[in-house]
Amino acid sequence: MTGCAECYGTFKGFYPRIVEPDFEVLHITEVIEDLLRSGKLKPRKNLKMKVTYHDPCLLGRLSEPYIPWSGEIKAYGYHDPPKQWRRGTKGIYEAPRRVLRAVPGIELIEMTRNEENAFCCGGGGGVPAAFPDFALWTAEERVAEARSTGAEAIVSTCPLCQSNFEKAVGTGKAGIRYHDLCEIVVRAL
Amino acid sequence: MSLPEYIYKMFEGAVGPENISDRPHILAAYRHTSPQDVRKPASPDAVILPGSTEEVQAIVRICRRYNIKYNPVTSLLSVGMPPGNEMKVILSLRRMNRILEINEEDRYVVVEPAVRHVQLKPELMKRGLSYPVPSVGPSCSVMANFLGKGEHHVQHSTSKNNRYLLGYEWVMPTGEILRAGSLACDAGWFCPDGPGPSLAGLVQRAYGVFTKAAIALDAWKGPAAMPTEGRTPAYKVRLPQDCHKVFVFKFPTLDKVRDAMIEIGKAEIGVAVLKFFYATAAVMFTVSANDFWALWESGLFQKELPQAVWIYLATWTPEEMAYEERVMWDIVREMGGEEVDKSIRNLWEDNMDFFIIVSFLQRVLKLGGGWAPVIHTESLPHTVEIAKTIPEFLQEFINKGLILDAPHNFQIIPIEYAHGAHIELLFFYDRTLPNRQRIPMELMKQSMATDIKHGHFAPTAEVGQLYGNFNLWATKIKKAF
């Protein structure tokens, strides 16, 4: 189980290119969802907050398991044998949202660019290290989009998104806060 | 070659150091050419990002002074830089992406060059307004489509996009700023013509850079937001069926297709009427090359669609829809038409954005391929006569295995209730063929030879004499700039 979206995407999409894992990989939001469903976790406190959820890239569109393919590409792009394409269709989009909706008082508002079309936070892929100004600009773009929904907070579930968003939100001048999804759940217990 | 440092500094002075670059990885990102072009794209010597008309003017003046070629771009779907050793720069207009004014009463919008359809269309839909989006797709420049001819799927009821162009602002190749039409007299944006003769024909192939334009708007009969369902790649866009319906009918001959289009035009019903490409449709509605082959080899589209007409009805009320449907059915039955296989109609009912923003037309590129230049004709009957001769020259290429076996893959779209029409041919060639680069050129030569053989067109020098020697005037204007 990983609490980090980049780790999740790496375990699912990159490591299998080297060696096929003999264990299941779950993101923490999937585990929380299970615990909520089974009644083992009971959020009770009313948090009274409007939030918008940001889909991390490696938990969303880039999180599908790697599917090895080898064959021949024939005329007009025909793949022989047929290839299974990874397009972000089966990313982890619903689990975090179901968790948020299960917390009393949370009103979840969607951004226009969400799920597989979410605008990146700019915090992953080595971008903050190589291009810190570009990473910050990217996060500020996303924060502006989040603010336009009327939400009081952006919620996500990736430490790299957290780190970059917290720089962009600054000391509250941006008019919106950042919360990690697990933090929201813990506060509601 | 790289720009001399003193010229680079001049550009830097005009736009600021953060808005110009000659670094190799930036230039590489801007090497582009149109999908049909078989040449390797040439690299610019610098990329410059102006943010205002004044910055564009400063850049154009520098380019003119030092004989530097420049190419203004937004989506990079245009023809790229010319080959050769002359100095050349790309003006990326992406900073000029503001919607400057939406006038709901007078129904126009003023945009900068990098405003894209995906940005403008939803904003207008919220206000009950609309405009035709050409098939280039949502990521492309609105202004570019309205300065060009701007063919699109709803021409039947709206005409070509260049009819919708109102006032505009143009940084001419001389570095002067021309504000055309009513704008020149401080009378607002409502009219594109004047002072003097209309420049509408000139702007379609003009040099220089257009920095603002106003486009006229239509009323939008649909919901305030595009109703999208599902997840990639299987999105669906369905409009309320009481006032939005699409039909696909097949007819026994192209002549009956023509007659149906003319009668529907006379009746002035329908938002869209067109005979669409059948192989292109199969590529558009499949998500991989393998899926395409499964559909294509079923033979369904070849059986149902070579002589088919798509009709999109959109009305304000269900009663109006009932009326338009009755009229449509009367015409279709009179012309011997019948509905195609229901599965085909379902595809369009599930993807009504085909008539709104054409969100996935770029799928047509996934097999590799190109298309012949659009041919403009004066009348719908003339277009149909041209269409009948297409299989004649395509067959040779099909028989040699050079292009996909789709001899009827052309579209005919009536304009202004069938007062005119445009025809477009799209052929697919395999990118793995060693001689693929010659295929488009050879095919276009055969297309032109067939047109001349059947008397559909004549060489420009002959036609020009009948139309005020327009070809000579065009040459003179180009030389002047």
Side-chain angles (χ1 to χ4, degrees):
Chain A
M1 182 187 76
T2 169
C4 169
E6 288 256 331
C7 295
Y8 179 84
T10 304
F11 272 105
K12 284 289 222 183
F14 294 110
Y15 285 173
R17 294 171 200 241
I18 306 164
V19 61
E20 191 61 39
D22 58 359
F23 52 86
E24 195 183 2
V25 179
L26 293 173
H27 187 260
I28 194 166
T29 51
E30 297 178 281
V31 175
I32 297 175
E33 192 196 6
D34 265 342
L35 293 171
L36 287 170
R37 196 182 295 126
S38 63
K40 288 179 182 167
L41 266 184
K42 292 188 173 83
R44 291 198 167 91
K45 289 191 193 146
N46 188 321
L47 296 187
K48 249 190 179 177
M49 196 173 6
K50 282 188 193 172
V51 306
T52 188
Y53 175 71
H54 165 80
D55 294 274
C57 298
L58 264 70
L59 188 62
R61 61 173 160 269
L62 299 177
S63 70
E64 285 172 322
Y66 171 69
I67 306 166
W69 178 86
S70 66
E72 194 189 340
I73 303 176
K74 295 183 170 171
Y76 296 102
Y78 184 84
H79 283 63
D80 186 18
K83 178 179 161 118
Q84 278 182 277
W85 296 93
R86 299 160 71 218
R87 294 194 178 91
T89 315
K90 296 176 194 153
I92 309 292
Y93 305 112
E94 288 306 320
R97 286 171 168 83
R98 282 195 277 260
V99 168
L100 283 171
R101 287 192 191 107
V103 174
I106 290 289
E107 183 187 342
L108 177 60
I109 312 167
E110 294 284 355
M111 288 185 268
T112 304
R113 294 178 293 188
N114 68 345
E115 298 190 352
E116 73 272 26
N117 297 308
F119 192 75
C120 179
C121 73
V127 174
F131 305 105
D133 49 349
F134 177 60
L136 183 61
W137 175 89
T138 308
E140 286 169 347
E141 275 283 309
R142 190 60 165 161
V143 164
E145 185 178 355
R147 207 170 43 240
S148 74
T149 65
E152 301 162 56
I154 311 172
V155 175
S156 194
T157 177
C158 171
L160 295 179
C161 295
Q162 175 165 1
S163 166
N164 219 31
F165 277 135
E166 282 179 346
K167 286 183 197 134
V169 226
T171 52
K173 287 182 202 166
I176 195 166
R177 305 185 298 275
Y178 176 85
H179 292 299
D180 183 78
L181 186 142
C182 295
E183 178 201 331
I184 297 268
V185 172
V186 164
R187 282 171 62 182
L189 291 175
Chain B
M1 66 179 290
S2 51
L3 291 177
E5 195 182 334
Y6 69 96
I7 293 182
Y8 189 97
K9 289 281 181 206
M10 291 174 82
F11 284 131
E12 202 177 64
V15 297
E18 67 279 9
N19 293 314
I20 179 172
S21 178
D22 63 356
R23 296 175 71 185
H25 61 285
I26 300 290
L27 300 187
Y30 279 88
R31 278 200 290 267
H32 74 285
T33 187
S34 71
Q36 303 98 301
D37 198 341
V38 296
R39 297 171 300 172
K40 190 175 165 190
S43 181
D45 300 311
V47 177
I48 312 171
L49 279 70
S52 65
T53 302
E54 292 67 36
E55 288 184 9
V56 170
Q57 184 180 37
I59 294 166
V60 169
R61 283 178 167 163
I62 296 168
C63 288
R64 180 179 165 87
R65 181 173 171 190
Y66 295 99
N67 203 23
I68 301 169
K69 294 202 182 305
Y70 58 94
N71 190 3
V73 301
T74 50
S75 61
L76 299 180
L77 272 183
S78 58
V79 175
M81 303 255 53
N85 292 325
E86 299 151 299
M87 288 187 285
K88 40 189 181 277
V89 297
I90 278 185
L91 269 62
S92 173
L93 301 172
R94 60 197 306 158
R95 289 173 64 209
M96 298 175 73
N97 64 351
R98 291 169 287 244
I99 301 171
L100 297 173
E101 181 188 351
I102 299 176
N103 188 317
E104 295 178 40
E105 277 195 29
D106 294 338
R107 286 206 196 160
Y108 66 80
V109 60
V110 184
V111 294
E112 288 187 321
V115 170
R116 301 164 195 259
H117 298 296
V118 70
Q119 179 187 353
L120 181 62
K121 189 79 171 187
E123 201 54 48
L124 293 176
M125 284 170 69
K126 284 182 214 171
R127 293 166 166 79
L129 297 168
S130 183
Y131 67 93
V133 176
S135 308
V136 70
S139 299
C140 297
S141 162
V142 175
M143 187 189 287
N145 291 147
F146 283 80
L147 292 170
K149 299 181 205 74
E151 283 86 14
H152 52 81
H153 298 147
V154 298
Q155 283 173 179
H156 159 82
S157 59
T158 62
S159 193
K160 288 182 185 290
N161 277 357
N162 58 9
R163 298 273 217 200
Y164 281 64
L165 181 66
L166 304 176
Y168 53 90
E169 180 182 85
W170 177 21
V171 177
M172 297 167 69
T174 54
E176 296 159 277
I177 297 176
L178 175 77
R179 293 184 174 92
S182 49
L183 205 56
C185 317
D186 287 330
W189 297 89
F190 73 96
C191 176
D193 291 334
S198 170
L199 301 175
L202 190 62
V203 303
Q204 288 181 27
R205 292 280 186 269
Y207 298 120
V209 185
F210 291 82
T211 48
K212 294 186 183 73
I215 60 173
L217 302 172
D218 291 322
W220 165 237
K221 296 174 183 170
M226 195 112 64
T228 309
E229 308 160 34
R231 195 165 280 145
T232 180
Y235 296 113
K236 290 185 179 8
V237 176
R238 297 187 183 113
L239 294 176
Q241 289 259 297
D242 56 345
C243 291
H244 297 265
K245 290 191 182 176
V246 62
F247 300 87
V248 189
F249 299 106
K250 56 188 176 185
F251 292 85
T253 62
L254 276 179
D255 286 341
K256 291 296 183 188
V257 165
R258 173 200 66 207
D259 293 344
M261 288 177 170
I262 288 172
E263 291 305 312
I264 294 170
K266 281 184 192 169
E268 295 189 9
I269 60 164
V271 168
V273 172
L274 66 159
K275 182 245 176 254
F276 195 59
F277 313 97
Y278 66 153
T280 310
V283 180
M284 274 171 61
F285 287 113
T286 48
V287 298
S288 72
N290 286 46
D291 288 344
F292 161 76
W293 280 108
L295 175 58
W296 193 245
E297 284 172 353
S298 75
L300 175 69
F301 277 34
Q302 293 93 315
K303 174 172 164 279
E304 298 288 275
L305 299 177
Q307 274 125 211
V309 176
W310 281 251
I311 299 172
Y312 165 43
L313 303 178
T315 58
W316 293 110
T317 65
E319 291 78 15
E320 200 184 335
M321 174 60 72
Y323 163 76
E324 290 206 2
E325 261 195 84
R326 279 201 304 277
V327 172
M328 177 196 72
W329 276 109
D330 276 351
I331 294 168
V332 166
R333 287 183 184 120
E334 187 185 325
M335 301 303 164
E338 55 183 288
E339 279 200 273
V340 299
D341 189 277
K342 185 89 170 57
S343 65
I344 297 175
R345 184 181 174 186
N346 288 347
L347 287 174
W348 263 269
E349 282 181 330
D350 285 345
N351 293 280
M352 296 287 275
D353 60 307
F354 179 84
F355 301 106
I356 305 170
I357 201 165
V358 202
S359 57
F360 50 89
L361 196 95
Q362 286 84 353
R363 283 186 189 167
V364 303
L365 299 172
K366 71 171 175 274
L367 300 187
W371 48 91
V374 173
I375 304 168
H376 293 267
T377 53
E378 291 183 3
S379 69
L380 178 54
H382 185 190
T383 311
V384 170
E385 293 308 306
I386 292 175
K388 290 175 187 173
T389 62
I390 286 176
E392 177 186 314
F393 69 84
L394 276 193
Q395 201 57 50
E396 180 194 332
F397 291 83
I398 293 169
N399 293 344
K400 289 179 185 169
L402 295 174
I403 65 173
L404 185 73
D405 184 3
H408 305 282
N409 199 45
F410 53 85
Q411 73 170 350
I412 296 175
I413 311 183
I415 303 166
E416 296 175 12
Y417 292 137
H419 282 84
H422 114 224
I423 181 169
E424 187 172 343
L425 168 68
L426 201 151
F427 53 90
F428 294 98
Y429 58 85
D430 178 22
R431 286 186 179 274
T432 63
L433 286 175
N435 58 345
R436 70 186 184 283
Q437 293 176 343
R438 295 196 57 80
I439 297 170
M441 299 304 296
E442 292 297 327
L443 196 141
M444 282 185 230
K445 270 194 225 171
Q446 284 302 314
S447 168
M448 284 168 57
T450 306
D451 283 338
I452 292 171
K453 172 184 158 191
H454 289 279
H456 294 150
F457 287 99
T460 308
E462 287 181 32
V463 174
Q465 293 173 47
L466 303 173
Y467 290 94
N469 291 311
F470 69 87
N471 52 319
L472 300 178
W473 282 107
T475 309
K476 285 184 182 179
I477 290 167
K478 273 193 180 170
K479 274 196 185 147
F481 284 120

